[in-house]
Amino acid sequence: MSTTATRLRLGTTDGADVEIEPTHLVVAGYTGRDQEAVRHHIDELAAIGVPEPDTIPAFYPLEVDRLTTAERIEVSGAETSGEVEPVLIRANGTYYLTIGSDHTDRKMETVGIQLSKAACPKPIASTLIELGDPPALVDWDAIVVRSWVDGDLYQEGTLASMLPITQVLAEWDQIGGSADVALVLFGGTRPLIDGTFRYGRDWRMQLEVPGHAPIELTYTVSVRSN
């Protein structure tokens, strides 16, 4: 995992400018609260050749240069797709919450999940909610996330079925993290509405946190020509 900072210029929902220099990027997976359902999902993926994770939740450290707030990303293969995720940022002596897309190469996923995630940029919104340190109490179960691909609703629902992202962070810190590093953590995602990956061009994500203005992320995907 990289220890070279990537500088991001963002803004809070209160209108303050924020500069973040994370040195670590981690994408968490299998963060559902229903462990039986998580196990079933792992078995389903194994049946189509996706390797099982070493831990549950699973953690995939990536280079921080995968992070982007750009409106357009470039990928090397045609079979890639996004997933809406809450994103917790620990930097500047405080915590922030935003939204991101764990854009992934699905064809490469059968070779290795780590490789498939590292193959694509990881878009995040340019707007944050500052939570403070320690993170302010948030009703995680009431947070709503949505995603659309090419205008069609792709994911929708609350985070009640997922582990709170602060708990996911605590588990990461126990096995391989450090509270002293500037970290961006993707906290996992909800199931797809129809259970089928879509390899679309235009992606839109939304995070609704009670008491705050909605945060949105939009980006367009283009396939790199060889």
Side-chain angles (χ1 to χ4, degrees):
M1 181 168 34
S2 175
T3 56
T4 301
T6 292
R7 183 172 297 177
L8 300 171
R9 290 181 173 85
L10 311 168
T12 70
T13 52
D14 297 328
D17 293 331
V18 175
E19 189 171 277
I20 304 292
E21 291 190 60
T23 58
H24 292 68
L25 167 62
V26 177
V27 175
Y30 307 107
T31 57
R33 293 188 196 180
D34 184 338
Q35 291 299 295
E36 184 176 339
V38 170
R39 183 70 252 176
H40 178 67
H41 181 53
I42 291 171
D43 292 342
E44 286 180 326
L45 292 175
I48 61 172
V50 177
E52 294 191 18
D54 294 330
T55 63
I56 301 175
F59 296 100
Y60 305 99
L62 303 175
E63 298 292 331
V64 292
D65 64 7
R66 296 285 76 195
L67 287 169
T68 183
T69 56
E71 295 180 356
R72 183 180 300 273
I73 67 170
E74 194 175 70
V75 297
S76 58
E79 296 179 20
T80 72
S81 63
E83 289 179 338
V84 59
E85 303 207 7
V87 176
L88 190 67
I89 299 175
R90 179 171 59 198
N92 302 338
T94 190
Y95 290 81
Y96 305 93
L97 179 66
T98 191
I99 191 172
S101 177
D102 177 19
H103 208 90
T104 298
D105 188 314
R106 301 301 172 186
K107 186 175 183 179
M108 194 178 293
E109 204 164 27
T110 59
V111 178
I113 296 179
Q114 180 84 32
L115 291 173
S116 70
K117 294 185 180 298
C120 300
K122 296 291 183 257
I124 64 170
S126 58
T127 305
L128 311 166
I129 297 170
E130 184 169 357
L131 301 178
D133 183 16
L137 291 177
V138 175
D139 185 356
W140 298 104
D141 291 1
I143 294 175
V144 177
V145 293
R146 299 182 183 88
S147 71
W148 295 261
V149 53
D150 294 335
D152 296 331
L153 189 63
Y154 191 55
Q155 296 169 282
E156 181 177 40
T158 71
L159 300 185
S161 62
M162 296 168 55
L163 297 173
I165 196 169
T166 48
Q167 181 178 336
V168 177
L169 173 63
E171 297 204 26
W172 165 249
D173 283 345
Q174 283 186 351
I175 68 170
S178 169
D180 297 329
V181 303
L183 170 72
V184 176
L185 174 68
F186 281 62
T189 195
R190 288 185 50 84
L192 309 179
I193 288 176
D194 63 4
T196 302
F197 288 129
R198 291 271 302 275
Y199 309 130
R201 176 178 180 272
D202 296 312
W203 294 84
R204 177 185 170 206
M205 316 281 176
Q206 187 177 71
L207 178 80
E208 289 187 354
V209 179
H212 298 272
I215 294 178
E216 292 209 356
L217 165 66
T218 59
Y219 65 97
T220 299
V221 178
S222 61
V223 179
R224 186 181 302 113
S225 58
N226 295 326

